Amino acid sequence: QVQLVESGGGLQQAGDSLRLSCVLSGGTFSDYSMGWFRQAPGKGREFVATISWHGGATYYDGSVKGRFTISRDDVRNTMYLQINSLKPEDTAVYYCTAGAGTAADLRRGGAYWGQGTQVTVSS
């Protein structure tokens, strides 16, 4: 029932900024904690950031904290990931996830996943 669709990826240069979006449909947006994971070539899917259903709590992996900002817009049923100062190591498929639990628990992944959006960062 719940569907997640990511957008905003593409080819970027190191130092650029980018904003990814994830739209939730088929459910009540405010019922779900939301988050971002990414999977780089040859690596497993890793936690990036999560945000609580009310937006009052956020969690970041230490590798992205300070450059990445997660947010949500309840009017548009959309979660965002603002990425600043892109690095080649940020190259990955970025996945949106959602779950009925806490944002802390969502750091291990949620019940729902999007199809992913490719972010490629060149030097």
Side-chain angles (χ1 to χ4, degrees):
Q1 311 86 63
V2 171
Q3 296 183 48
L4 303 171
V5 179
E6 305 95 332
S7 63
L11 179 62
Q12 306 291 324
Q13 294 189 83
D16 286 353
S17 296
L18 188 67
R19 188 176 75 164
L20 306 181
S21 299
C22 172
V23 178
L24 182 148
S25 62
T28 302
F29 184 69
S30 59
D31 285 348
Y32 299 95
S33 295
M34 305 283 289
W36 291 96
F37 282 65
R38 66 183 181 183
Q39 186 167 19
K43 300 182 67 177
R45 191 172 299 186
E46 66 177 15
F47 158 73
V48 174
T50 58
I51 185 167
S52 61
W53 65 268
H54 49 68
T58 58
Y59 298 88
Y60 295 92
D61 182 77
S63 66
V64 304
K65 195 170 187 178
R67 294 191 300 115
F68 287 31
T69 303
I70 189 170
S71 62
R72 63 191 296 160
D73 185 336
D74 291 343
V75 174
R76 296 177 172 83
N77 287 359
T78 302
M79 174 186 62
Y80 302 98
L81 185 68
Q82 177 68 40
I83 308 173
N84 295 327
S85 301
L86 279 160
K87 301 177 179 180
E89 65 191 59
D90 295 323
T91 295
V93 178
Y94 284 72
Y95 294 93
C96 175
T97 189
T102 66
D105 287 341
L106 199 61
R107 293 180 293 182
R108 294 187 289 272
Y112 306 101
W113 294 89
Q115 83 291 341
T117 184
Q118 176 72 50
V119 174
T120 302
V121 184
S122 64
S123 300

